[in-house]
Short mmCIF file of all heavy atoms in Angstrom, two decimals:
data_model
loop_
_atom_site.label_atom_id
_atom_site.label_comp_id
_atom_site.label_asym_id
_atom_site.label_seq_id
_atom_site.Cartn_x
_atom_site.Cartn_y
_atom_site.Cartn_z
N PHE A 1 -23.61 -10.00 -8.59
CA PHE A 1 -22.57 -9.25 -7.86
C PHE A 1 -21.16 -9.87 -8.12
O PHE A 1 -20.24 -9.17 -8.38
CB PHE A 1 -22.89 -9.30 -6.31
CG PHE A 1 -21.87 -8.61 -5.45
CD1 PHE A 1 -22.12 -7.35 -5.03
CD2 PHE A 1 -20.73 -9.26 -5.08
CE1 PHE A 1 -21.20 -6.65 -4.26
CE2 PHE A 1 -19.78 -8.62 -4.28
CZ PHE A 1 -20.01 -7.26 -3.81
N THR A 2 -21.07 -11.17 -8.06
CA THR A 2 -19.81 -11.84 -7.97
C THR A 2 -18.95 -11.58 -9.28
O THR A 2 -17.76 -11.27 -9.22
CB THR A 2 -19.84 -13.37 -7.67
OG1 THR A 2 -20.61 -13.56 -6.44
CG2 THR A 2 -18.61 -13.97 -7.60
N PRO A 3 -19.42 -11.89 -10.52
CA PRO A 3 -18.61 -11.61 -11.68
C PRO A 3 -18.24 -10.19 -11.90
O PRO A 3 -17.20 -9.91 -12.46
CB PRO A 3 -19.45 -12.16 -12.86
CG PRO A 3 -20.83 -12.32 -12.35
CD PRO A 3 -20.76 -12.48 -10.87
N THR A 4 -19.24 -9.28 -11.55
CA THR A 4 -18.91 -7.86 -11.62
C THR A 4 -17.74 -7.48 -10.76
O THR A 4 -16.82 -6.80 -11.13
CB THR A 4 -20.15 -7.03 -11.30
OG1 THR A 4 -21.22 -7.39 -12.11
CG2 THR A 4 -19.95 -5.54 -11.49
N PHE A 5 -17.80 -7.95 -9.50
CA PHE A 5 -16.64 -7.76 -8.56
C PHE A 5 -15.37 -8.36 -8.99
O PHE A 5 -14.36 -7.66 -9.01
CB PHE A 5 -17.10 -8.34 -7.14
CG PHE A 5 -16.11 -8.04 -6.09
CD1 PHE A 5 -16.17 -7.00 -5.26
CD2 PHE A 5 -15.03 -9.11 -5.88
CE1 PHE A 5 -15.19 -6.84 -4.24
CE2 PHE A 5 -14.14 -8.85 -4.87
CZ PHE A 5 -14.20 -7.77 -4.08
N GLN A 6 -15.36 -9.63 -9.48
CA GLN A 6 -14.20 -10.33 -9.94
C GLN A 6 -13.54 -9.55 -11.12
O GLN A 6 -12.32 -9.50 -11.16
CB GLN A 6 -14.55 -11.74 -10.27
CG GLN A 6 -14.87 -12.62 -9.08
CD GLN A 6 -15.29 -14.01 -9.49
OE1 GLN A 6 -15.84 -14.16 -10.61
NE2 GLN A 6 -15.14 -14.95 -8.63
N SER A 7 -14.31 -9.05 -12.01
CA SER A 7 -13.78 -8.40 -13.21
C SER A 7 -13.22 -7.06 -12.86
O SER A 7 -12.42 -6.49 -13.72
CB SER A 7 -14.84 -8.26 -14.29
OG SER A 7 -15.87 -7.36 -13.80
N THR A 8 -13.49 -6.49 -11.72
CA THR A 8 -12.93 -5.24 -11.30
C THR A 8 -11.41 -5.38 -10.89
O THR A 8 -10.68 -4.40 -11.04
CB THR A 8 -13.76 -4.63 -10.18
OG1 THR A 8 -15.08 -4.50 -10.54
CG2 THR A 8 -13.26 -3.27 -9.72
N ILE A 9 -11.09 -6.53 -10.34
CA ILE A 9 -9.75 -6.68 -9.69
C ILE A 9 -8.67 -6.61 -10.69
O ILE A 9 -7.63 -5.87 -10.49
CB ILE A 9 -9.74 -8.07 -8.90
CG1 ILE A 9 -10.78 -8.11 -7.90
CG2 ILE A 9 -8.34 -8.15 -8.30
CD1 ILE A 9 -10.87 -7.02 -6.88
N PRO A 10 -8.62 -7.25 -11.87
CA PRO A 10 -7.56 -7.08 -12.78
C PRO A 10 -7.39 -5.68 -13.30
O PRO A 10 -6.29 -5.23 -13.69
CB PRO A 10 -7.91 -8.03 -13.95
CG PRO A 10 -9.24 -8.50 -13.72
CD PRO A 10 -9.57 -8.31 -12.35
N ASP A 11 -8.54 -4.90 -13.35
CA ASP A 11 -8.41 -3.49 -13.79
C ASP A 11 -7.75 -2.71 -12.60
O ASP A 11 -7.17 -1.67 -12.90
CB ASP A 11 -9.77 -2.91 -14.15
CG ASP A 11 -10.31 -3.58 -15.39
OD1 ASP A 11 -9.47 -3.85 -16.36
OD2 ASP A 11 -11.44 -3.76 -15.59
N THR A 12 -8.01 -3.01 -11.39
CA THR A 12 -7.49 -2.36 -10.22
C THR A 12 -5.94 -2.67 -10.10
O THR A 12 -5.20 -1.79 -9.68
CB THR A 12 -8.20 -2.79 -8.91
OG1 THR A 12 -9.59 -2.51 -9.16
CG2 THR A 12 -7.69 -2.04 -7.81
N LEU A 13 -5.55 -3.95 -10.39
CA LEU A 13 -4.16 -4.35 -10.29
C LEU A 13 -3.72 -4.97 -11.61
O LEU A 13 -3.74 -6.16 -11.87
CB LEU A 13 -4.09 -5.49 -9.22
CG LEU A 13 -4.47 -5.06 -7.74
CD1 LEU A 13 -4.59 -6.27 -6.85
CD2 LEU A 13 -3.48 -4.04 -7.22
N PRO A 14 -3.34 -4.13 -12.57
CA PRO A 14 -2.96 -4.62 -13.86
C PRO A 14 -1.61 -5.41 -13.94
O PRO A 14 -1.43 -6.14 -14.88
CB PRO A 14 -2.89 -3.29 -14.76
CG PRO A 14 -2.52 -2.18 -13.69
CD PRO A 14 -3.25 -2.63 -12.38
N ASN A 15 -0.75 -5.27 -12.99
CA ASN A 15 0.47 -6.03 -12.90
C ASN A 15 0.15 -7.54 -12.54
O ASN A 15 -0.61 -7.83 -11.68
CB ASN A 15 1.43 -5.47 -11.85
CG ASN A 15 2.69 -6.30 -11.73
OD1 ASN A 15 2.85 -7.26 -11.09
ND2 ASN A 15 3.71 -5.86 -12.48
N GLU A 16 0.68 -8.47 -13.42
CA GLU A 16 0.33 -9.90 -13.37
C GLU A 16 0.70 -10.48 -12.02
O GLU A 16 -0.04 -11.25 -11.46
CB GLU A 16 0.99 -10.68 -14.51
CG GLU A 16 0.48 -12.18 -14.46
CD GLU A 16 0.99 -12.90 -15.68
OE1 GLU A 16 1.43 -12.33 -16.67
OE2 GLU A 16 0.84 -14.21 -15.64
N ASP A 17 1.87 -10.14 -11.44
CA ASP A 17 2.28 -10.65 -10.22
C ASP A 17 1.36 -10.11 -9.09
O ASP A 17 1.04 -10.86 -8.21
CB ASP A 17 3.72 -10.22 -9.86
CG ASP A 17 4.68 -11.00 -10.70
OD1 ASP A 17 4.39 -12.16 -11.26
OD2 ASP A 17 5.88 -10.51 -10.87
N ASP A 18 1.03 -8.92 -9.16
CA ASP A 18 0.06 -8.33 -8.17
C ASP A 18 -1.28 -9.09 -8.26
O ASP A 18 -1.91 -9.32 -7.16
CB ASP A 18 -0.15 -6.80 -8.34
CG ASP A 18 1.12 -6.08 -7.93
OD1 ASP A 18 1.88 -6.54 -7.15
OD2 ASP A 18 1.25 -4.87 -8.32
N TYR A 19 -1.73 -9.24 -9.51
CA TYR A 19 -3.04 -9.91 -9.66
C TYR A 19 -2.94 -11.39 -9.17
O TYR A 19 -3.90 -11.85 -8.54
CB TYR A 19 -3.37 -9.88 -11.10
CG TYR A 19 -4.76 -10.56 -11.42
CD1 TYR A 19 -5.73 -10.18 -10.75
CD2 TYR A 19 -4.84 -11.42 -12.46
CE1 TYR A 19 -7.08 -10.72 -10.96
CE2 TYR A 19 -6.08 -12.07 -12.69
CZ TYR A 19 -7.24 -11.67 -12.00
OH TYR A 19 -8.48 -12.26 -12.20
N THR A 20 -1.90 -12.07 -9.34
CA THR A 20 -1.70 -13.40 -8.79
C THR A 20 -1.81 -13.43 -7.31
O THR A 20 -2.51 -14.27 -6.69
CB THR A 20 -0.35 -13.99 -9.24
OG1 THR A 20 -0.30 -14.07 -10.65
CG2 THR A 20 -0.29 -15.47 -8.69
N ARG A 21 -1.17 -12.40 -6.67
CA ARG A 21 -1.19 -12.29 -5.20
C ARG A 21 -2.66 -11.97 -4.81
O ARG A 21 -3.18 -12.51 -3.74
CB ARG A 21 -0.26 -11.21 -4.71
CG ARG A 21 1.20 -11.52 -4.96
CD ARG A 21 2.03 -10.46 -4.37
NE ARG A 21 3.45 -10.64 -4.65
CZ ARG A 21 4.08 -9.92 -5.56
NH1 ARG A 21 3.43 -9.02 -6.29
NH2 ARG A 21 5.35 -10.22 -5.86
N ALA A 22 -3.34 -11.12 -5.57
CA ALA A 22 -4.77 -10.78 -5.23
C ALA A 22 -5.64 -12.06 -5.25
O ALA A 22 -6.55 -12.18 -4.50
CB ALA A 22 -5.26 -9.71 -6.17
N LEU A 23 -5.34 -12.86 -6.31
CA LEU A 23 -6.18 -14.12 -6.43
C LEU A 23 -6.03 -15.02 -5.20
O LEU A 23 -6.98 -15.66 -4.70
CB LEU A 23 -5.73 -14.90 -7.68
CG LEU A 23 -6.09 -14.35 -9.06
CD1 LEU A 23 -5.57 -15.10 -10.15
CD2 LEU A 23 -7.70 -14.23 -9.17
N SER A 24 -4.77 -15.13 -4.65
CA SER A 24 -4.61 -15.87 -3.44
C SER A 24 -5.23 -15.23 -2.25
O SER A 24 -5.83 -15.98 -1.50
CB SER A 24 -3.03 -16.03 -3.21
OG SER A 24 -2.45 -16.81 -4.20
N LEU A 25 -5.16 -13.93 -2.18
CA LEU A 25 -5.90 -13.31 -1.10
C LEU A 25 -7.39 -13.49 -1.17
O LEU A 25 -8.08 -13.67 -0.19
CB LEU A 25 -5.53 -11.75 -1.09
CG LEU A 25 -4.20 -11.36 -0.42
CD1 LEU A 25 -4.02 -9.92 -0.43
CD2 LEU A 25 -4.13 -11.82 1.06
N SER A 26 -7.92 -13.46 -2.51
CA SER A 26 -9.34 -13.61 -2.64
C SER A 26 -9.67 -15.03 -2.22
O SER A 26 -10.77 -15.28 -1.66
CB SER A 26 -9.64 -13.47 -4.12
OG SER A 26 -11.01 -13.61 -4.38
#
């Protein structure tokens, strides 16, 4: 489950700043 879920996020949020924020929220 976990790597499949994690790999989905950068495709959902392609902007690097948004992705950085998503990592902090994660």
Side-chain angles (χ1 to χ4, degrees):
F1 183 96
T2 302
T4 305
F5 182 91
Q6 290 174 333
S7 67
T8 303
I9 304 304
D11 293 322
T12 304
L13 299 170
N15 179 273
E16 185 174 347
D17 287 340
D18 287 343
Y19 182 50
T20 300
R21 296 186 187 97
L23 289 173
S24 290
L25 280 180
S26 180

